[in-house]
Amino acid sequence: MYNEQVQMAGKNLGALNAVYELQLQDSNNHLKQTSKFYDGINQLMSNLNESLDDTKKYKDEVSKLAKNLSSLNTVYGNMLSAMNLNPNK
């Protein structure tokens, strides 16, 4: 009877060990997936920061373009005014 109880305890410990091993594997897989997820988040943040710099450059260039167009419009308007004021034409 004692021998049977020891054998049963051994089987139960073996079963518990198998369950524990499966839980460890599952936890390890979950940890790997979480790590991949955070790597993806970090890459996304890096890409957003890079595009933020590009967006600022784009904004600055559009602002310069608007100023240049305004200056050209002023020059063109002055030329038209000068041509209309010329009495020889």
Side-chain angles (χ1 to χ4, degrees):
M1 185 144 95
Y2 176 76
N3 195 18
E4 291 174 7
Q5 289 177 344
V6 170
Q7 285 178 349
M8 184 64 88
K11 287 180 184 178
N12 287 343
L13 284 175
L16 284 173
N17 192 30
V19 169
Y20 179 69
E21 185 66 32
L22 288 174
Q23 286 179 339
L24 281 177
Q25 289 175 359
D26 188 46
S27 295
N28 191 27
N29 289 337
H30 182 70
L31 185 62
K32 287 179 184 177
Q33 292 299 322
T34 301
S35 179
K36 286 181 185 179
F37 174 75
Y38 282 116
D39 287 345
I41 295 274
N42 287 335
Q43 183 63 42
L44 174 67
M45 292 304 294
S46 176
N47 289 344
L48 284 174
N49 285 333
E50 288 175 11
S51 67
L52 179 63
D53 292 339
D54 290 342
T55 302
K56 287 178 183 176
K57 289 177 187 175
Y58 176 76
K59 178 183 168 259
D60 292 342
E61 292 300 317
V62 168
S63 178
K64 288 178 190 176
L65 179 62
K67 288 178 185 176
N68 288 340
L69 283 174
S70 177
S71 296
L72 283 173
N73 282 340
T74 300
V75 169
Y76 183 66
N78 290 340
M79 285 175 49
L80 287 177
S81 294
M83 289 172 60
N84 288 335
L85 293 176
N86 190 345
N88 293 332
K89 286 202 171 196

